[in-house]
Amino acid sequence: MNKIELVKTNVEGGQTSTTINSSEVAEMTGVEYKELLKKIRKYDDILNGGNFALVEFFIESTYIDSKGQTRPCYEVTKKGCEMVANKMTGEKGVLFTAAYVTKFEEIEKENI
């Protein structure tokens, strides 16, 4: 499993959240990137119907690909990682959960 890169992203209201980029989540989970994006968009529909804000789980963003084109991506919060992990089973789900929980705990300790 690759090293997880966490970033701090500005969120609505000037708050800051620690996130993992969706491309890294796809790589860590072994899910095709486009499939992960479809899942996140489906989660968005469900969350909106339940009066939950997507930004608490997945923050819409973009990146520039190797051709210089802007592509969609998401910054995934700890809650978002938990949602993705809860939908997974088997070894990949366990390894992903262990990796992101450990990394988020390290960041939280640094901020104390």
Side-chain angles (χ1 to χ4, degrees), residues 41-105:
R41 289 179 185 123
K42 191 179 267 188
Y43 298 157
D44 184 18
D45 292 339
I46 296 167
L47 290 169
N48 281 331
N51 293 319
F52 291 95
L54 181 68
V55 73
E56 292 181 27
F57 301 86
F58 307 97
I59 301 164
E60 291 184 78
S61 189
T62 58
Y63 71 97
I64 306 297
D65 71 9
S66 59
K67 296 178 183 177
Q69 296 179 328
T70 302
R71 302 283 183 194
C73 70
Y74 291 87
E75 293 299 328
V76 184
T77 68
K78 185 175 181 182
K79 280 181 162 181
C81 286
E82 290 171 0
M83 183 172 292
V84 170
N86 284 330
K87 301 295 181 194
M88 298 179 71
T89 60
E91 185 177 333
K92 285 184 180 181
V94 171
L95 292 174
F96 174 62
T97 300
Y100 87 78
V101 167
T102 300
K103 194 61 178 178
F104 274 100
E105 283 180 350

Coordinates of all heavy atoms in Angstrom, one line a residue, residues 41-105:
R41 N -20.4 10.4 -6.5 CA -21.6 11.2 -7.0 C -22.9 10.5 -6.5 O -23.8 11.2 -6.2 CB -21.5 11.2 -8.5 CG -20.4 12.2 -9.0 CD -20.3 12.3 -10.5 NE -19.1 13.0 -10.9 CZ -18.1 12.6 -11.6 NH1 -18.2 11.4 -12.2 NH2 -17.1 13.4 -11.9
K42 N -22.9 9.2 -6.5 CA -24.1 8.5 -6.0 C -24.3 8.8 -4.5 O -25.4 9.1 -4.0 CB -24.0 7.0 -6.2 CG -25.2 6.2 -6.0 CD -25.0 4.7 -6.2 CE -25.4 4.4 -7.6 NZ -25.4 3.0 -7.9
Y43 N -23.2 8.8 -3.7 CA -23.2 9.2 -2.3 C -23.8 10.6 -2.1 O -24.6 10.9 -1.2 CB -21.9 9.1 -1.6 CG -21.2 7.8 -1.6 CD1 -19.8 7.7 -1.5 CD2 -21.9 6.6 -1.7 CE1 -19.2 6.5 -1.4 CE2 -21.3 5.4 -1.6 CZ -19.9 5.3 -1.5 OH -19.2 4.1 -1.5
D44 N -23.4 11.5 -3.1 CA -23.9 12.9 -3.0 C -25.4 12.9 -3.1 O -26.0 13.6 -2.3 CB -23.2 13.7 -4.2 CG -23.6 15.2 -4.2 OD1 -24.0 15.7 -3.1 OD2 -23.4 15.8 -5.2
D45 N -26.0 12.2 -4.0 CA -27.4 12.2 -4.2 C -28.1 11.7 -2.9 O -29.1 12.2 -2.4 CB -27.8 11.3 -5.3 CG -27.4 11.8 -6.7 OD1 -27.2 13.1 -6.8 OD2 -27.4 11.0 -7.7
I46 N -27.5 10.6 -2.3 CA -28.1 10.0 -1.1 C -27.9 11.0 0.1 O -28.9 11.2 0.8 CB -27.4 8.7 -0.8 CG1 -27.8 7.7 -1.9 CG2 -27.9 8.1 0.5 CD1 -27.0 6.4 -1.9
L47 N -26.8 11.6 0.2 CA -26.5 12.5 1.3 C -27.4 13.7 1.3 O -28.0 14.1 2.3 CB -25.0 12.9 1.4 CG -24.0 11.8 1.8 CD1 -22.6 12.3 1.5 CD2 -24.2 11.4 3.2
N48 N -27.6 14.2 0.1 CA -28.5 15.4 -0.1 C -29.9 15.1 0.3 O -30.6 15.9 0.9 CB -28.4 15.9 -1.5 CG -27.2 16.8 -1.8 OD1 -26.7 17.4 -0.9 ND2 -26.8 16.8 -3.0
G49 N -30.3 13.9 0.0 CA -31.7 13.4 0.3 C -31.9 13.2 1.8 O -33.0 13.3 2.4
G50 N -30.8 13.0 2.5 CA -30.8 12.8 4.0 C -30.4 14.1 4.7 O -30.1 14.0 5.9
N51 N -30.3 15.2 4.0 CA -29.9 16.5 4.6 C -28.5 16.5 5.2 O -28.3 17.1 6.3 CB -31.0 16.9 5.6 CG -32.3 17.2 5.0 OD1 -32.3 17.8 3.9 ND2 -33.4 16.8 5.6
F52 N -27.6 15.8 4.6 CA -26.2 15.9 5.0 C -25.4 16.6 3.9 O -25.7 16.5 2.7 CB -25.6 14.5 5.1 CG -26.1 13.6 6.2 CD1 -27.2 12.8 6.0 CD2 -25.6 13.8 7.5 CE1 -27.7 12.0 7.1 CE2 -26.1 13.0 8.5 CZ -27.1 12.1 8.3
A53 N -24.5 17.4 4.3 CA -23.7 18.2 3.4 C -22.5 17.4 2.8 O -21.8 16.7 3.6 CB -23.1 19.4 4.1
L54 N -22.4 17.3 1.5 CA -21.4 16.5 0.8 C -20.0 17.0 1.3 O -19.1 16.1 1.5 CB -21.5 16.7 -0.7 CG -20.4 15.9 -1.5 CD1 -20.7 14.4 -1.4 CD2 -20.4 16.4 -2.9
V55 N -19.8 18.3 1.6 CA -18.5 18.8 1.9 C -18.0 18.2 3.2 O -16.8 18.3 3.5 CB -18.6 20.4 2.0 CG1 -19.3 20.8 3.2 CG2 -17.2 21.0 1.9
E56 N -18.8 17.6 4.1 CA -18.4 17.0 5.3 C -17.7 15.7 5.0 O -16.9 15.1 5.8 CB -19.5 16.7 6.2 CG -20.1 18.0 6.8 CD -21.3 17.7 7.8 OE1 -21.3 16.6 8.4 OE2 -22.1 18.5 7.9
F57 N -17.9 15.1 3.8 CA -17.4 13.8 3.4 C -16.4 13.9 2.2 O -15.4 13.3 2.2 CB -18.5 12.9 3.0 CG -19.5 12.7 4.2 CD1 -20.6 13.5 4.4 CD2 -19.3 11.6 5.0 CE1 -21.5 13.3 5.4 CE2 -20.2 11.4 6.1 CZ -21.3 12.3 6.3
F58 N -16.9 14.6 1.2 CA -16.2 14.8 -0.1 C -16.2 16.2 -0.6 O -17.3 16.8 -0.7 CB -16.8 13.9 -1.2 CG -16.9 12.4 -0.7 CD1 -18.1 12.0 -0.2 CD2 -15.9 11.6 -0.8 CE1 -18.3 10.6 0.2 CE2 -16.0 10.2 -0.4 CZ -17.2 9.8 0.1
I59 N -15.1 16.8 -0.8 CA -15.0 18.2 -1.2 C -14.6 18.2 -2.7 O -13.6 17.7 -3.1 CB -13.9 18.9 -0.4 CG1 -14.2 18.9 1.1 CG2 -13.8 20.4 -0.9 CD1 -13.1 19.2 2.0
E60 N -15.5 18.8 -3.5 CA -15.3 18.9 -5.0 C -14.1 19.7 -5.3 O -13.9 20.7 -4.7 CB -16.5 19.4 -5.7 CG -17.7 18.5 -5.7 CD -18.9 19.1 -6.4 OE1 -18.8 19.0 -7.7 OE2 -19.8 19.6 -5.8
S61 N -13.3 19.2 -6.2 CA -12.0 19.9 -6.6 C -11.7 19.5 -8.0 O -12.5 18.9 -8.7 CB -10.9 19.4 -5.7 OG -9.8 20.2 -5.9
T62 N -10.6 20.0 -8.5 CA -10.1 19.7 -9.9 C -8.6 19.5 -9.8 O -7.9 19.9 -8.9 CB -10.5 20.8 -10.9 OG1 -9.9 22.0 -10.4 CG2 -12.0 20.9 -11.1
Y63 N -8.1 18.9 -10.9 CA -6.6 18.8 -11.1 C -6.3 18.9 -12.6 O -7.3 18.8 -13.4 CB -6.1 17.4 -10.5 CG -6.5 16.2 -11.3 CD1 -5.6 15.7 -12.3 CD2 -7.7 15.6 -11.2 CE1 -6.0 14.6 -13.0 CE2 -8.1 14.5 -11.9 CZ -7.2 14.0 -12.8 OH -7.6 12.9 -13.6
I64 N -5.1 19.2 -12.9 CA -4.7 19.3 -14.3 C -4.0 18.0 -14.7 O -3.0 17.5 -14.0 CB -3.7 20.5 -14.5 CG1 -4.3 21.8 -13.9 CG2 -3.3 20.6 -15.9 CD1 -5.5 22.3 -14.7
D65 N -4.5 17.3 -15.7 CA -3.9 16.0 -16.1 C -2.7 16.2 -17.0 O -2.3 17.4 -17.2 CB -5.0 15.2 -16.9 CG -5.4 15.7 -18.2 OD1 -4.8 16.7 -18.7 OD2 -6.3 15.2 -18.8
S66 N -2.1 15.1 -17.4 CA -0.9 15.2 -18.2 C -1.0 15.9 -19.5 O 0.0 16.3 -20.1 CB -0.3 13.8 -18.4 OG -1.3 13.0 -19.1
K67 N -2.2 16.1 -20.0 CA -2.5 16.8 -21.3 C -2.8 18.3 -21.0 O -3.1 19.0 -22.0 CB -3.6 16.1 -22.0 CG -3.4 14.7 -22.5 CD -4.6 14.1 -23.2 CE -4.3 12.7 -23.5 NZ -5.5 12.0 -24.1
G68 N -2.8 18.7 -19.8 CA -3.0 20.1 -19.4 C -4.5 20.4 -19.3 O -4.9 21.6 -19.3
Q69 N -5.4 19.3 -19.3 CA -6.8 19.5 -19.2 C -7.3 19.5 -17.7 O -6.7 18.7 -16.9 CB -7.6 18.5 -20.0 CG -7.3 18.6 -21.5 CD -8.0 17.5 -22.3 OE1 -8.2 16.4 -21.8 NE2 -8.4 17.9 -23.5
T70 N -8.3 20.3 -17.4 CA -8.8 20.2 -16.0 C -9.8 19.1 -15.9 O -10.6 18.9 -16.7 CB -9.5 21.6 -15.7 OG1 -8.6 22.6 -15.9 CG2 -10.1 21.6 -14.3
R71 N -9.6 18.3 -14.8 CA -10.4 17.1 -14.6 C -11.0 17.2 -13.2 O -10.4 17.8 -12.3 CB -9.5 15.8 -14.7 CG -8.9 15.6 -16.0 CD -9.8 15.2 -17.0 NE -9.1 14.9 -18.3 CZ -9.7 14.7 -19.4 NH1 -11.1 14.8 -19.4 NH2 -9.1 14.5 -20.5
P72 N -12.1 16.6 -13.0 CA -12.7 16.6 -11.6 C -12.1 15.6 -10.7 O -11.5 14.6 -11.1 CB -14.2 16.1 -11.9 CG -14.1 15.3 -13.1 CD -13.0 15.9 -13.9
C73 N -12.1 16.0 -9.4 CA -11.6 15.1 -8.4 C -12.3 15.5 -7.1 O -13.0 16.5 -7.1 CB -10.1 15.1 -8.2 SG -9.4 16.6 -7.6
Y74 N -12.0 14.8 -6.0 CA -12.6 15.1 -4.7 C -11.4 15.1 -3.7 O -10.5 14.2 -3.8 CB -13.7 14.2 -4.3 CG -14.9 14.3 -5.1 CD1 -15.1 13.6 -6.2 CD2 -16.0 15.1 -4.7 CE1 -16.3 13.7 -7.0 CE2 -17.1 15.2 -5.4 CZ -17.3 14.5 -6.5 OH -18.4 14.6 -7.3
E75 N -11.5 15.9 -2.7 CA -10.7 15.8 -1.5 C -11.6 15.0 -0.5 O -12.7 15.4 -0.3 CB -10.3 17.1 -1.0 CG -9.3 17.9 -1.9 CD -8.0 17.2 -2.2 OE1 -7.5 16.4 -1.3 OE2 -7.5 17.3 -3.3
V76 N -11.1 13.9 0.0 CA -11.9 13.0 0.8 C -11.5 13.2 2.3 O -10.4 13.1 2.7 CB -11.6 11.5 0.4 CG1 -12.5 10.6 1.2 CG2 -11.9 11.3 -1.1
T77 N -12.5 13.6 3.1 CA -12.3 13.8 4.5 C -12.2 12.5 5.3 O -12.5 11.4 4.7 CB -13.4 14.7 5.1 OG1 -14.6 13.9 5.1 CG2 -13.7 16.0 4.4
K78 N -12.0 12.6 6.5 CA -12.0 11.3 7.3 C -13.3 10.7 7.3 O -13.4 9.4 7.1 CB -11.6 11.7 8.8 CG -11.4 10.4 9.7 CD -10.9 10.8 11.0 CE -10.8 9.5 11.9 NZ -10.3 9.8 13.2
K79 N -14.4 11.4 7.4 CA -15.7 10.9 7.3 C -15.9 10.2 5.9 O -16.6 9.2 5.9 CB -16.8 12.0 7.5 CG -17.1 12.4 8.9 CD -18.2 13.5 8.8 CE -18.8 13.7 10.1 NZ -19.9 14.7 10.0
G80 N -15.4 10.8 4.9 CA -15.6 10.2 3.6 C -14.8 8.9 3.4 O -15.3 8.0 2.8
C81 N -13.6 8.9 4.0 CA -12.8 7.7 4.0 C -13.6 6.6 4.8 O -13.6 5.4 4.3 CB -11.4 7.9 4.7 SG -10.3 8.8 3.7
E82 N -14.2 6.9 5.9 CA -15.0 6.0 6.6 C -16.1 5.4 5.8 O -16.4 4.2 5.8 CB -15.5 6.6 8.0 CG -14.3 6.8 8.9 CD -14.7 7.6 10.2 OE1 -15.8 8.0 10.3 OE2 -13.8 7.8 11.0
M83 N -16.8 6.3 5.0 CA -17.9 5.9 4.2 C -17.4 4.9 3.1 O -18.0 3.8 2.9 CB -18.5 7.1 3.5 CG -19.8 6.7 2.7 SD -20.7 8.1 2.1 CE -21.3 8.7 3.7
V84 N -16.3 5.2 2.5 CA -15.7 4.4 1.5 C -15.3 3.0 2.1 O -15.6 1.9 1.6 CB -14.5 5.0 0.8 CG1 -13.8 4.0 -0.1 CG2 -14.9 6.2 0.0
A85 N -14.6 3.1 3.2 CA -14.2 1.8 3.9 C -15.4 1.0 4.3 O -15.3 -0.3 4.2 CB -13.3 2.2 5.1
N86 N -16.4 1.6 4.8 CA -17.6 0.8 5.3 C -18.3 0.1 4.1 O -19.0 -0.9 4.4 CB -18.6 1.7 6.0 CG -18.1 2.1 7.4 OD1 -17.4 1.3 8.0 ND2 -18.5 3.2 7.8
K87 N -18.1 0.5 2.9 CA -18.7 -0.1 1.7 C -17.8 -1.3 1.2 O -18.2 -2.0 0.3 CB -18.9 0.9 0.6 CG -19.9 2.0 1.0 CD -21.2 1.4 1.3 CE -22.2 2.5 1.7 NZ -23.4 2.0 2.3
M88 N -16.6 -1.4 1.7 CA -15.6 -2.4 1.3 C -15.6 -3.6 2.2 O -15.9 -3.5 3.4 CB -14.2 -1.8 1.2 CG -14.1 -0.6 0.2 SD -12.4 0.0 0.2 CE -11.5 -1.3 -0.6
T89 N -15.2 -4.7 1.7 CA -15.0 -5.9 2.5 C -13.7 -6.6 2.2 O -13.0 -6.2 1.2 CB -16.1 -7.0 2.2 OG1 -16.1 -7.3 0.8 CG2 -17.5 -6.5 2.5
G90 N -13.3 -7.5 3.0 CA -12.1 -8.2 2.7 C -10.8 -7.5 3.1 O -10.8 -6.5 3.8
E91 N -9.7 -8.0 2.6 CA -8.4 -7.5 2.9 C -8.2 -6.1 2.5 O -7.6 -5.3 3.3 CB -7.3 -8.4 2.2 CG -5.9 -8.0 2.6 CD -4.9 -9.0 2.0 OE1 -5.2 -10.1 1.7 OE2 -3.7 -8.5 1.8
K92 N -8.6 -5.7 1.3 CA -8.4 -4.3 0.9 C -9.1 -3.3 1.8 O -8.6 -2.3 2.1 CB -8.9 -4.1 -0.6 CG -8.0 -4.7 -1.6 CD -8.5 -4.4 -3.0 CE -7.6 -5.1 -4.0 NZ -8.1 -4.8 -5.4
G93 N -10.3 -3.7 2.2 CA -11.1 -2.8 3.1 C -10.4 -2.6 4.5 O -10.3 -1.5 5.0
V94 N -9.8 -3.8 5.0 CA -9.1 -3.7 6.3 C -7.9 -2.9 6.1 O -7.6 -2.0 7.0 CB -8.8 -5.2 6.7 CG1 -7.9 -5.1 7.9 CG2 -10.1 -5.9 7.1
L95 N -7.1 -3.1 5.1 CA -5.8 -2.4 4.9 C -6.1 -0.9 4.7 O -5.4 0.0 5.2 CB -5.0 -3.0 3.7 CG -4.5 -4.4 4.0 CD1 -3.8 -4.9 2.7 CD2 -3.5 -4.4 5.1
F96 N -7.1 -0.5 3.9 CA -7.4 0.9 3.7 C -7.8 1.5 5.0 O -7.4 2.6 5.3 CB -8.5 1.0 2.6 CG -9.0 2.4 2.4 CD1 -8.1 3.4 2.0 CD2 -10.3 2.8 2.7 CE1 -8.5 4.7 1.9 CE2 -10.7 4.1 2.6 CZ -9.9 5.1 2.2
T97 N -8.7 0.9 5.7 CA -9.2 1.4 7.0 C -8.0 1.6 8.0 O -7.8 2.7 8.6 CB -10.2 0.5 7.7 OG1 -11.3 0.3 6.8 CG2 -10.7 1.0 9.0
A98 N -7.1 0.6 8.1 CA -5.9 0.8 9.0 C -5.0 1.9 8.5 O -4.6 2.7 9.4 CB -5.1 -0.5 9.0
A99 N -4.8 2.1 7.2 CA -3.9 3.1 6.7 C -4.5 4.5 7.0 O -3.8 5.4 7.5 CB -3.7 2.9 5.2
Y100 N -5.8 4.7 6.6 CA -6.3 6.1 6.7 C -6.5 6.5 8.2 O -6.3 7.6 8.6 CB -7.5 6.3 5.9 CG -8.8 6.0 6.5 CD1 -9.4 6.8 7.5 CD2 -9.5 4.8 6.2 CE1 -10.6 6.5 8.0 CE2 -10.7 4.5 6.7 CZ -11.3 5.3 7.7 OH -12.5 5.0 8.2
V101 N -6.9 5.5 9.0 CA -7.1 5.8 10.5 C -5.8 6.2 11.1 O -5.7 7.2 11.9 CB -7.8 4.6 11.2 CG1 -7.8 4.8 12.7 CG2 -9.3 4.5 10.7
T102 N -4.8 5.4 10.8 CA -3.5 5.7 11.4 C -3.0 7.1 11.0 O -2.5 7.8 11.8 CB -2.5 4.6 11.0 OG1 -2.9 3.3 11.4 CG2 -1.1 4.9 11.5
K103 N -3.1 7.4 9.7 CA -2.6 8.7 9.2 C -3.4 9.9 9.8 O -2.8 10.8 10.2 CB -2.7 8.7 7.7 CG -1.8 9.8 7.1 CD -0.4 9.7 7.5 CE 0.4 10.8 6.8 NZ 1.8 10.7 7.2
F104 N -4.7 9.7 9.9 CA -5.5 10.8 10.4 C -5.1 11.0 11.9 O -5.0 12.1 12.4 CB -7.0 10.6 10.3 CG -7.5 11.1 8.9 CD1 -7.7 10.2 7.9 CD2 -7.8 12.4 8.7 CE1 -8.2 10.6 6.7 CE2 -8.3 12.9 7.5 CZ -8.5 12.0 6.5
E105 N -4.9 9.9 12.7 CA -4.5 10.0 14.1 C -3.2 10.8 14.2 O -3.0 11.6 15.1 CB -4.4 8.7 14.7 CG -5.8 8.1 15.0 CD -5.7 6.7 15.7 OE1 -4.6 6.1 15.7 OE2 -6.7 6.2 16.2

